[in-house]
């Protein structure tokens, strides 16, 4: 089992710190703009005395009800209600009976858009594999039961900007959305072109492929 990081609570809480927690206005824009801007930001999850930190290296944008790869394309349901709410909240869903997936609600109320956090680089000497959305959520102890609908401007689960230089960002088709008609070709996956922590894309087939990226 990978060693888990323990850090004292942290620089972004101190007046005058160069490390800034991302506020509501950062998330209140289209997912296609938010997704690349989350690359390089640091995801923080605090649980009791433990604090997990990882630098985001890969995201995917899901841009509304017209996007057939987006959960919202099926309409407003109990599952997708969070996506139709205020930006800057966590939309976490459970898939295959084993994986939780963390998404960030974008845009505005009633405009259901979100960004999937696909991969990250563990920080502070943390030896763990975060190269995939299921792996990331599991290692950072993010679950639908505990975190769906959580305000990402709060004190437990949030993103910070550490002021690092913006990485070179590449884009490609999203993973596993062949069922989504013309939307399978949309270049809405964003990743740090120089990072070894980006997820490895493996061929998939059948129902499982369609289910993985139905967000």
């Amino acid at each position: 089992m990978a060693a888990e990081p323990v850090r004292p609570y942290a620089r972004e809480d101190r007046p005058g710190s160069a490390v800034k927690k991302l506020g509501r206005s950062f998330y209140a824009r289209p997912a296609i703009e938010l997704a690349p801007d989350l690359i390089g930001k640091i995801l923080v999850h605090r649980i009791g005395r433990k604090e997990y930190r990882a630098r985001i290296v890969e995201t995917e944008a899901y841009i509304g009800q017209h996007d057939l790869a987006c959960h919202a394309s099926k309409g407003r349901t109990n599952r997708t209600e969070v996506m139709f709410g205020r930006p800057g909240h966590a939309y976490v869903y459970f898939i295959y009976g084993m994986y939780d997936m963390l998404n960030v609600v974008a845009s505005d109320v009633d405009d259901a858009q979100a960004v999937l956090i696909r991969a990250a680089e563990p920080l502070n000497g943390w030896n763990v594999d975060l190269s995939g959305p299921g792996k990331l959520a599991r290692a950072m102890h993010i679950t639908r039961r505990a975190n769906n609908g959580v305000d990402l401007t709060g004190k437990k689960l949030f993103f910070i900007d550490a002021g690092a230089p913006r990485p070179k960002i590449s884009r490609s088709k999203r993973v596993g959305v062949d069922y989504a008609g013309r939307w399978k070709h949309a270049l809405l996956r964003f990743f740090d072109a120089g990072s070894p922590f980006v997820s490895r894309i493996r061929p998939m087939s059948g129902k499982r492929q369609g289910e993985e990226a139905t967000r």
Side-chain angles (χ1 to χ4, degrees):
M1 180 179 296
E4 296 188 342
V6 180
R7 285 178 55 92
Y9 289 174
R11 295 169 295 172
E12 68 277 357
D13 296 332
R14 298 174 185 168
S17 172
V19 179
K20 301 296 184 183
K21 183 185 295 183
L22 303 183
R24 185 85 55 209
S25 62
F26 183 86
Y27 305 105
R29 51 185 160 146
I32 195 171
E33 298 177 10
L34 178 61
D37 279 357
L38 279 169
I39 304 295
K41 302 300 187 288
I42 296 171
L43 174 62
V44 181
H45 192 200
R46 292 173 173 171
I47 306 174
R49 293 176 57 84
K50 290 184 177 179
E51 181 176 281
Y52 303 87
R53 290 191 173 213
R55 175 183 171 274
I56 305 305
V57 300
E58 182 180 352
T59 60
E60 288 179 348
Y62 291 82
I63 62 175
Q65 291 182 273
H66 59 291
D67 177 357
L68 298 183
C70 180
H71 279 168
S73 68
K74 306 299 183 183
R76 194 166 188 160
T77 66
N78 287 338
R79 183 192 197 191
T80 62
E81 184 64 27
V82 174
M83 293 183 70
F84 288 85
R86 294 181 73 195
H89 285 75
Y91 170 46
V92 185
Y93 63 88
F94 192 60
I95 197 167
Y96 310 147
M98 60 190 300
Y99 295 119
D100 292 284
M101 306 282 200
L102 172 64
N103 298 257
V104 177
V105 176
S107 192
D108 202 353
V109 175
D110 294 329
D111 182 15
Q113 300 190 37
V115 175
L116 173 69
I117 306 301
R118 276 201 58 87
E121 173 187 354
L123 300 178
N124 308 319
W126 188 19
N127 182 23
V128 68
D129 182 3
L130 305 178
S131 61
K135 294 177 182 178
L136 184 151
R138 178 176 291 177
M140 297 198 72
H141 300 274
I142 296 168
T143 67
R144 178 184 63 178
R145 179 174 295 182
N147 303 114
N148 188 43
V150 164
D151 188 343
L152 296 173
T153 68
K155 295 183 178 180
K156 298 295 186 181
L157 181 65
F158 54 90
F159 292 86
I160 60 175
D161 184 349
R166 181 181 174 91
K168 179 181 179 181
I169 297 174
S170 295
R171 60 193 299 178
S172 72
K173 295 186 290 185
R174 294 171 293 188
V175 178
V177 296
D178 284 352
Y179 65 92
R182 66 185 180 88
W183 286 98
K184 70 182 181 181
H185 301 295
L187 302 181
L188 294 174
R189 172 177 171 256
F190 302 88
F191 56 95
D192 181 342
S195 174
F197 298 95
V198 170
S199 66
R200 298 178 182 177
I201 308 304
R202 298 178 177 86
M204 302 180 70
S205 61
K207 184 178 179 181
R208 184 176 174 90
Q209 181 177 20
E211 287 179 345
E212 179 176 356
T214 308
R215 299 178 183 88

